[in-house]
Amino acid sequence: AVVSTQSTWVKRINYNDLRAPLSMPGIRNVAPDILARAVNKLVEVLIHVGDAANDVSGPQLVAILEQSCKMTNLRQAGVFTGGVPLPDTLAQRVHANIPHIFIK
């Protein structure tokens, strides 16, 4: 998917619907709020939190999920937290806005 706006500065996010996780070279260097806005413009996404430079970080995941509570185009999402603790009510609020989501 190509997501390119002046407000996000993220030019391209590679994903293959729910079969491959969200990735982008240097994604960990993108500010969490900017990444959150870009990801929430997608329709479906698979997110794996990891330690590699092209993996989403814990703070980025929390920002993505918090943004999805405000405004999102996401209709399907899979989230593997990698053990990152989420705020207590965040998962419930996310489920209200994204029709098909699983968080593990």
Side-chain angles (χ1 to χ4, degrees):
V2 175
V3 178
S4 181
T5 67
Q6 289 183 349
S7 64
T8 61
W9 296 104
V10 174
K11 293 182 181 175
R12 184 173 195 81
I13 296 176
N14 298 321
Y15 78 104
N16 188 10
D17 46 64
L18 296 177
R19 291 174 286 183
L22 175 80
S23 68
M24 184 178 86
I27 198 168
R28 293 181 82 81
N29 298 327
V30 178
D33 62 319
I34 292 172
L35 182 62
R37 287 194 304 269
V39 169
N40 278 283
K41 290 179 182 178
L42 301 173
V43 176
E44 53 190 19
V45 69
L46 179 60
I47 300 171
H48 285 218
V49 174
D51 296 326
N54 62 337
D55 289 338
V56 173
S57 70
Q60 288 171 323
L61 172 63
V62 172
I64 290 166
L65 296 177
E66 287 177 346
Q67 175 66 32
S68 75
C69 295
K70 300 172 192 170
M71 190 168 118
T72 189
N73 290 334
L74 289 171
R75 295 292 160 247
Q76 291 188 67
V79 178
F80 293 94
T81 65
V84 171
L86 298 177
D88 292 338
T89 61
L90 183 57
Q92 295 168 341
R93 292 183 292 142
V94 169
H95 281 281
N97 284 351
I98 302 175
H100 304 285
I101 185 170
F102 68 85
I103 300 174
K104 293 185 182 200

